[in-house]
Every structure is written in C-alpha cells, then in structure tokens.
Amino acid sequence: MSLVFRSAAVPVLVGVAVGITGALLLAGLIRTLLFGIGPHDPVTPALAPVTLALVALLAGWIPSRRAAALDPPSALRAG
C-alpha cells in the first residue's frame, strides 16, 4: 500500500512546493490580476495548495487501498 501511495504522494508534494515557490516569486507580476485579495494574503496561498494536495493524495490513497486488498497470485494470473 505504501509503495502505491508514495508513487502518488511524492509528485504531489513536489508540485505543491514548486507551485508555492513560483507563486511567491511571481506575486508582484500577478498583482494586477488579483481582485479582492492582496498578493501576500496568507489565507489564499495556504488554502489553495492544501486543498489541491488533499484531493490529489486522496486520489492516490483510494487505488493504494484497492491494490493492498488484492491477492498477489490471483492478480498476476489475471494480468
């Protein structure tokens, strides 16, 4: 289960880290596109990546549970 979940979790966490870094570096450039929030508003930059990461990790956790429930010999015979 951890092997399948880790294969989904690592790219998600790397993508969130790169996205947050890029958003912080480009905050001055996108200032004109933001309406109703400031470029350094702490809630929005924290809430968006956390929500996306939770959804992506859930999308990886469900298949990992299914993979852990399979009987390996019967899965190999069926494949």
Side-chain angles (χ1 to χ4, degrees), residues 1-78:
M1 184 169 160
S2 67
L3 178 67
V4 175
F5 184 71
R6 193 176 308 125
S7 70
V10 170
V12 167
L13 296 176
V14 169
V16 166
V18 169
I20 289 173
T21 304
L24 291 174
L25 291 174
L26 298 173
L29 293 174
I30 61 171
R31 184 180 318 238
T32 59
L33 300 174
L34 300 174
F35 299 104
I37 61 169
H40 298 292
D41 177 37
V43 176
T44 304
L47 190 60
V50 167
T51 303
L52 291 173
L54 287 176
V55 169
L57 291 176
L58 180 65
W61 181 65
I62 292 171
S64 69
R65 275 196 20 208
R66 288 183 186 164
L70 290 177
D71 181 39
S74 64
L76 291 173
R77 279 192 295 265

